[in-house]
Amino acid sequence: MVRILITGSNGQVGSEIIEYLRKTTDCTILATDITQPREQVEGVQFEYMDVKERVLVESVFRKFKPEHVYHLAAILSATGEKDPVITHNVNTTGTMNILSACVTHGVQKAFIPSTIGVYGPEIQKENAPLENYSTPTTMYGITKATSEMLFKYYHARFDLDVRSVRYPGLISYKVEPTAGTTDFSVDMIKHAALGKKYICYLKSDTRLPMMYMPDAMINTIKMMYQEKVEKRIYNFMAYSISPGEIESIIKERIPDFHVEYVPDYRQAIADSWPASINIEDSVNDWGFDCTYDAKKTVDDMLDHYASSI
Ligand code: AKB
């Protein structure tokens, strides 16, 4: 039974990965976060852990003795612009503390996700390459690009098997995202399901890379449990889509749904990112594959809300 420690366990990805790992892996999980979990999950222990606090991180690792670590605690792009200092401390110092504890406590495998936020405005808009991703202009992007360099350093210097993926906007309903730039996708679908008008903070034609959470989980775990990977980091994306295109898909089911477009500071963040990213290495190296296109995603989300609201 493998001992798995998760940071940021109450977040959008954390809550889903716990469920997915419990279904697919023979494991004992220690979930950690700075807030109490909303629900007690059978077989999952919870411990308060602020990744910024090195001494605390060390003591939790010493006590739990994890073999695998999923480091998901992070401040995302929109919140990141409100407090760059905290964002730096959580995302960069937090990652250093986790990498250092992984080496000290002999962790076998670590997952530290990255993001399309590492790309900057001068990158090609379509099919942005995995390598040479340019200069991010958001604090979130800067800290995640730094984390990519840090974990490559820990791999090269200490032989830590740390792996990563650059997530696109993730669409999901279990824990709705509230701190990113791509969150409009979830919010718009939820408003439609509730019969409400939606005010979108991005322009209708701003296309961004996206994917549905079940595909993100399947592919993350597939990549993590490959015997060997060629690269430390892989790009993830299922489709490139704009708010206007999501609105049109919703309207096929809910014709009187209405969206108003009132761009705010998040437009500049979205404009600095590519509309699509290159996933060739993920496909060729270990068979990255997605089941959900945009229409199937919206349908599944609307079905979920229809049965739960
Ligand atoms: C965000 O919008 O900040 C995140 C991301 C793309 O990493 N969803």
Side-chain angles (χ1 to χ4, degrees):
M1 219 188 236
V2 61
R3 300 175 68 76
I4 303 179
L5 183 146
I6 295 175
T7 74
S9 60
N10 297 336
Q12 188 194 13
V13 177
S15 59
E16 303 266 0
I17 225 159
I18 288 179
E19 198 174 301
Y20 196 76
L21 284 167
R22 283 185 68 244
K23 272 197 235 145
T24 56
T25 321
D26 187 18
C27 61
T28 303
I29 294 180
L30 180 69
T32 71
D33 209 312
I34 53 167
T35 53
Q36 285 297 314
R38 283 195 299 193
E39 55 181 17
Q40 197 68 39
V41 182
E42 208 198 304
V44 177
Q45 300 170 54
F46 177 82
E47 190 92 34
Y48 171 91
M49 188 173 84
D50 182 342
V51 296
K52 301 195 297 310
E53 307 296 334
R54 186 170 180 197
V55 175
L56 181 59
V57 169
E58 284 293 332
S59 84
V60 172
F61 271 64
R62 203 175 305 117
K63 205 160 90 187
F64 184 66
K65 300 183 180 35
E67 295 162 286
H68 296 179
V69 169
Y70 288 76
H71 172 42
L72 308 171
I75 293 187
L76 299 191
S77 58
T79 307
E81 291 314 291
K82 293 187 184 143
D83 197 334
V85 175
I86 298 256
T87 306
H88 175 271
N89 292 346
V90 173
N91 293 6
T92 312
T93 307
T95 298
M96 268 304 278
N97 289 341
I98 295 296
L99 284 166
S100 161
C102 283
V103 170
T104 307
H105 299 278
V107 167
Q108 293 160 10
K109 217 184 255 279
F111 176 68
I112 303 184
S114 188
T115 165
I116 54 165
V118 298
Y119 291 100
E122 74 272 25
I123 197 75
Q124 63 197 61
K125 273 278 159 200
E126 301 296 341
N127 205 26
L130 178 67
E131 313 289 355
N132 307 325
Y133 48 82
S134 88
T135 315
T137 49
T138 63
M139 184 45 68
Y140 175 56
I142 291 166
T143 58
K144 283 292 185 178
T146 308
S147 297
E148 289 191 10
M149 287 187 263
L150 290 175
F151 64 66
K152 283 180 187 159
Y153 171 86
Y154 269 77
H155 170 66
R157 168 126 193 235
F158 299 106
D159 204 23
L160 177 65
D161 185 0
V162 49
R163 303 181 184 191
S164 181
V165 307
R166 286 195 196 122
Y167 282 134
L170 294 176
I171 301 181
S172 69
Y173 51 76
K174 191 163 189 254
V175 171
E176 283 149 15
T178 54
T181 303
T182 56
D183 303 355
F184 71 86
S185 48
V186 175
D187 226 17
M188 187 189 285
I189 300 167
K190 188 164 187 190
H191 275 70
L194 289 167
K196 289 187 185 164
K197 168 184 166 178
Y198 181 61
I199 299 180
C200 184
Y201 54 80
L202 294 184
K203 292 185 203 153
S204 76
D205 61 354
T206 309
R207 270 194 306 109
L208 288 167
M210 298 271 181
M211 83 194 290
Y212 197 31
M213 188 60 88
D215 280 333
M217 290 300 96
I218 288 171
N219 283 289
T220 298
I221 301 304
K222 188 169 180 187
M223 186 277 300
M224 278 306 282
Y225 292 98
Q226 295 295 310
E227 181 80 21
K228 260 179 75 176
V229 277
E230 288 299 316
K231 298 191 155 43
R232 289 295 115 202
I233 183 136
Y234 287 97
N235 276 350
F236 272 26
M237 177 189 90
Y239 39 84
S240 170
I241 196 157
S242 69
E245 286 163 336
I246 297 183
E247 179 190 352
S248 303
I249 297 175
I250 294 172
K251 278 184 166 154
E252 288 170 22
R253 263 177 73 159
I254 310 174
D256 58 358
F257 176 52
H258 183 59
V259 182
E260 193 183 332
Y261 293 91
V262 185
D264 67 14
Y265 70 99
R266 288 167 280 193
Q267 184 66 47
I269 301 177
D271 286 344
S272 75
W273 293 348
S276 64
I277 57 176
N278 187 298
I279 54 166
E280 260 167 44
D281 289 301
S282 317
V283 174
N284 295 338
D285 287 4
W286 48 268
F288 175 85
D289 188 29
C290 289
T291 305
Y292 289 87
D293 61 14
K295 184 162 173 0
K296 245 178 117 180
T297 301
V298 172
D299 278 344
D300 201 63
M301 289 282 289
L302 286 175
D303 286 346
H304 162 77
Y305 286 128
S307 63
S308 67
I309 289 172

